Amino acid sequence: MGLLPYAFSGIAVLGGLVGYSKGSVASLIASSTISVINAVGAYFHQNGSNNAIYLQYLSGLMLAYVGGKKFLTKGSPVMGVLGVISFLYVVALTI
């Protein structure tokens, strides 16, 4: 899988930083948590643990759900982009 999981974690943190710059501490905390869960899952998956991919699925699906929901309710373009990227990440994990 290479660097894709770590790039996804970085994009998630960037989204949290954008939210934090608009005054949302919760965005930074949530995105950092999702990024750590994903990076830990990627690390263990690359080192032979087959069950660790479920952590990556969990983080991708959580961000896709929250991003899509916030985009549809509040119209936040950043959350819309994060939702789509997260969905594509989950698809890439499945392939």
Side-chain angles (χ1 to χ4, degrees), residues 11-95:
I11 290 171
V13 169
L14 281 176
L17 287 172
V18 169
Y20 180 73
S21 70
K22 295 181 179 181
S24 175
V25 176
S27 293
L28 184 61
I29 293 170
S31 69
S32 298
T33 303
I34 287 174
S35 296
V36 167
I37 290 170
N38 185 62
V40 167
Y43 175 77
F44 283 119
H45 183 68
Q46 290 174 350
N47 288 318
S49 176
N50 291 330
N51 291 333
I53 197 165
Y54 296 120
L55 290 174
Q56 293 174 272
Y57 276 120
L58 175 70
S59 64
L61 290 172
M62 280 183 1
L63 191 55
Y65 172 74
V66 171
K69 184 177 177 183
K70 289 208 176 176
F71 174 72
L72 292 175
T73 58
K74 294 183 179 180
S76 170
V78 173
M79 291 307 290
V81 170
L82 282 175
V84 170
I85 289 173
S86 298
F87 173 75
L88 294 175
Y89 176 64
V90 171
V91 169
L93 286 174
T94 306
I95 294 177

